[in-house]
Amino acid sequence: MSFAAVSPGPITRVSARLLRRRAVVVGVGVSTAAAALVVPGAALAAALLAVAGAMLAVMALAALVAWRHGRRKAQAVRAVTDFIAHDAAPSLLADADGAILHANAAAQAHFDLSGDATVAGLLPDVFANPAMALYRLQARAQADGAAREDVVLRQGHMRIAVHRLGSDAFLWRLEDVADRPAPGQCGGAARLPAMTVGRGGTILYMNDAARKFLGGRAKAIERLFDGAPPRPGEINTVTTAEGPRACLVSESPSTGGRREIVLVPAKAPAAADTGDDGWRFFEDLPVALLRLDADSGRITLSNRLARDLLGAGRCHGRRLPELMEGLGRSIADWLEEAAAGRPARSSEFLRLSRTDSEMFVQVTLTRVDADGAPALIAVLNDATKLKTLEAQFVQSQKMQAIGELAGGVAHDFNNLLTAITGHCDLLLLRHDQGDPAYADLVQISQNANRAAALVGQLLAFSRKQTLRPEVLDLRDTLSDLTHLLNRLVGERVRLSLTHDPAQPMIRADKRQLEQVLMNLVVNARDAMTDGGEIQIRTDCMTLDEPLHRDRAVVPPGAYIRVMVSDDGVGIDPERLPKIFEPFYTTKRTGEGTGLGLSTAYGIVKQSGGYIFADSVPGSGSTFSLIFPRHQKSVDDAAAPAPRPANALAREPADGIVLLVEDEAPVRAFAARALRLRGYTVLEADSAEAALETLQDDTLAVDVFVTDVVMPGMDGPSWVVEALKQRPGVRVIFVSGYAEEAFGDVQARIPNSVFLPKPFSLSELTETVSRQLR
């Protein structure tokens, strides 16, 4: 295939200019050499000859470089022209000014390339003002290397593509796609009016049925719908060749931001050769559709996509309530309102009555006329992902709200319990074990401690408890816990432990982890009324990809897994997603608080882990705890052992303590406890009162004991202010909230520790003694 050399082109013109310049330089060099022969003086002649020789040498070198550059450029051009030689679409090689350098056979057949042809000069007869479109495309190609755009023509549209070749050449490809069927069109639907619409609403393609139905070629989609955008899945009024017509609009996305739109006349003329009733294209539409009888709600017609979505091989004659549920009111009433046109468009989210999977659909009802009788068109859209995300959000909001409530309630209860247990400890100091009132006081103290444990479960669920994480070897932890677990499960249940031989460490609060395992083991025991076996297994696992499960995502990494399995009655599938909710229990009334699993969930999540449940009714359940591996060993991470508390308590106590607490009962107990140990106690009921007390420069204070959350200025704020004048004072923060609630602030305060409420008399005095020493 030979290519037309269309005009000399800029390359030829540039070459001619270069040749003229070289000729001038050569002429000057020759003239200089000739002058050297006639000028007097040997020195001047030698200089002229040197100049002439240098000029001629430079020109020779330039000619060699230009020859090699031209050869490489010619090879590149030849490679491009060979590449486009057999392309069925017109392809043009042009310079930056649009002058055509080469054209393939398809371009020669389509366009007149005589004279100084340019790319823009070929297209005025094809579409108006092509220069602007070509300039825009070339600018994009100059920046990005390539560009493409579909241009609407009088008949169909043209796809113009351009590729940058080097710095001064562009390869253009002009593809006529007027006769190409719209992307995504199936065979049956192609007989319906169909069109392809671009991002801005421009109609890029219309099939013959659309041209005939609409009375010709349309440029913008809004013109067909009285200036408004079409409403997919509904009956729209469309401007056609015969006037306004009611059509059902089906829309599906395509590539590049385009949309495929199919128009289904609500009542089409019957075909003379088939006796069709006007709904013959229903089966092939690219959207799930049902036609319902307006009176009975029975399905009179369905297409393939609707049957696949509903999971029903046959829908004809079935009523809508048999296939879906979850409206919250009678579906028959909803259908009756839609049939009466109240409102004009009715859309609801329903759950399909499928047994293989849980699926949701958005059902949009529109009233139409079918053979003179009212009918309903139901457009079905798969809304499973949307409802799943909605359920996740609602669950997250619910758990957060309950967590906030639990945290607030726990804070108030901890203040009350601190006062109760504290004053009970004070009373126990004044009674011997033989005193008749001693046993009553012990009962009060024990029940207060039980209440404190319940509050601790609320804080664990809300993830606002204070954790003391440490590096743990699960083998040692479970070995230490085995004796207690065996006592919990009783004689009719066997407990077995299996460990991974090469198990690394985890970092968690040992006491809280033991609480989680005890909760799971007790639940497993209660699920096996006739006895059985509980297995606790640990192993290592590595995730190369994220693990998506139960609305949680476990990122890739190395983990330790602890599995607690039983062979009990199991958990029903509908109850399984709710088992981690607080106060939800599958046990009988009075047998459980509903906080065991929610506490385990909170502790595991606060420790940076994950908890999942698997259960088969009648076969048992398995709970899996997944914790990130910790690299350090137990020996490396072990902290120096603190001095024994009893030794601290026996040491003589002295010092001045500033006690700041807004709760009067708590302040009264703490002050009496510290004075009994020999400390001098200054009391303040607010941060402002504490700062006023510290204005006395002659007053020496050794320890601040302060509540964290108080009306007005909070604990950390007034402590920071006070330490500016008294930098050496030790600080003890007490609170019914978790330490993490203000851990970052406390970390910036030197010599400070945290004591969670409720605390006993001995815990308070031991903490003060430890801070002073």
Side-chain angles (χ1 to χ4, degrees), residues 299-321:
I299 299 174
T300 59
L301 194 61
S302 65
N303 66 355
R304 176 181 52 81
L305 291 181
R307 293 190 295 273
D308 292 343
L309 185 60
L310 296 173
R314 180 176 175 82
C315 296
H316 185 77
R318 301 183 65 177
R319 300 178 66 251
L320 203 62

Side-chain angles (χ1 to χ4, degrees), residues 726-743:
R726 302 170 183 265
V729 180
R730 303 274 176 159
V731 183
I732 300 174
F733 290 108
V734 297
S735 178
Y737 287 113
E739 183 178 4
E740 282 75 10
F742 67 104

Side-chain angles (χ1 to χ4, degrees), residues 86 97 103 181 193 198 301 309 374 376 489 601 624-625 669 672 675:
H86 302 286
D97 296 326
L301 194 61
L309 185 60
L376 292 174
V489 299
Y601 176 85
S624 301
L625 312 178
F669 147 67
R672 287 183 59 188
R675 289 190 179 107

Side-chain angles (χ1 to χ4, degrees), residues 425-723:
D425 289 343
L426 292 174
L427 287 173
L428 285 170
L429 292 176
R430 299 203 308 243
H431 292 75
D432 296 330
Q433 293 187 6
D435 194 312
Y438 189 85
D440 296 334
L441 293 174
V442 170
Q443 282 293 322
I444 294 173
S445 179
Q446 289 178 350
N447 281 279
N449 290 332
R450 289 180 60 190
L454 183 61
V455 172
Q457 289 183 329
L458 287 174
L459 285 173
F461 161 70
S462 61
R463 293 179 241 171
K464 292 184 178 180
Q465 65 177 343
T466 299
L467 296 182
R468 304 296 182 190
E470 56 183 298
V471 179
L472 301 175
D473 186 331
L474 278 177
R475 293 169 294 191
D476 297 338
T477 302
L478 290 173
S479 297
D480 296 341
L481 194 61
T482 301
H483 179 68
L484 177 58
L485 294 179
N486 278 319
R487 291 178 57 189
L488 286 174
V489 299
E491 297 179 354
R492 302 180 61 185
V493 176
R494 299 184 307 276
L495 181 67
S496 63
L497 278 74
T498 305
H499 297 296
D500 190 307
Q503 190 173 68
M505 308 297 110
I506 68 170
R507 190 170 187 270
D509 186 314
K510 181 178 180 180
R511 182 174 59 88
Q512 298 296 341
L513 179 60
E514 291 174 346
Q515 180 68 49
V516 171
L517 293 172
M518 285 191 292
N519 287 353
L520 296 178
V521 169
V522 168
N523 284 345
R525 177 203 65 189
D526 294 343
M528 298 184 296
T529 56
D530 298 329
E533 182 180 8
I534 299 175
Q535 297 181 6
I536 301 179
R537 303 188 303 275
T538 64
D539 61 7
C540 301
M541 59 181 296
T542 301
L543 297 178
D544 297 327
E545 297 180 354
L547 173 63
H548 298 264
R549 181 175 172 191
D550 297 348
R551 302 172 183 170
V553 179
V554 184
Y559 296 91
I560 302 296
R561 180 172 55 184
V562 183
M563 292 174 287
V564 180
S565 304
D566 64 72
D567 49 8
V569 296
I571 305 172
D572 294 334
E574 61 271 12
R575 292 185 173 185
L576 195 60
K578 303 177 182 179
I579 59 175
F580 294 115
E581 296 182 7
F583 309 110
Y584 181 84
T585 178
T586 58
K587 301 178 183 178
R588 291 178 296 183
T589 304
E591 294 185 355
T593 63
L595 286 173
L597 288 178
S598 62
T599 299
Y601 176 85
I603 292 173
V604 172
K605 294 298 289 184
Q606 193 174 0
S607 302
Y610 303 85
I611 181 170
F612 302 109
D614 298 284
S615 184
V616 177
S619 300
S621 305
T622 299
F623 286 83
S624 301
L625 312 178
I626 300 177
F627 296 97
R629 293 188 203 172
H630 193 75
Q631 301 302 324
K632 293 183 179 179
S633 65
V634 176
D635 296 335
D636 295 338
R643 299 176 65 184
N646 293 336
L648 290 173
R650 289 193 298 268
E651 294 178 2
D654 58 357
I656 299 176
V657 178
L658 177 56
L659 175 62
V660 185
E661 170 63 62
D662 62 308
E663 291 285 340
V666 177
R667 187 173 67 251
F669 147 67
R672 287 183 59 188
L674 292 173
R675 289 190 179 107
L676 285 175
R677 285 284 295 118
Y679 296 106
T680 301
V681 181
L682 305 175
E683 298 182 40
D685 60 359
S686 66
E688 291 77 9
L691 292 175
E692 184 178 353
T693 301
L694 294 175
Q695 290 180 357
D696 186 357
D697 296 334
T698 62
L699 184 63
V701 179
D702 300 306
V703 179
F704 296 150
V705 179
T706 177
D707 194 7
V708 174
V709 180
M710 296 181 292
M713 187 179 293
D714 60 21
S717 299
W718 84 259
V719 168
V720 170
E721 188 68 24
L723 290 178

Side-chain angles (χ1 to χ4, degrees), residues 185 193-197 221 230 249-252 259-263:
Q185 288 294 317
M195 61 196 77
T196 303
V197 181
I221 189 67
V249 176
S250 169
E251 180 179 305
S252 58
R259 296 172 293 160
E260 306 298 335
I261 293 180
V262 179
L263 305 178

Side-chain angles (χ1 to χ4, degrees), residues 63-73:
L64 178 61
V65 172
W67 176 79
R68 296 184 61 183
H69 177 72
R71 183 179 178 184
R72 285 197 300 269
K73 195 164 188 177

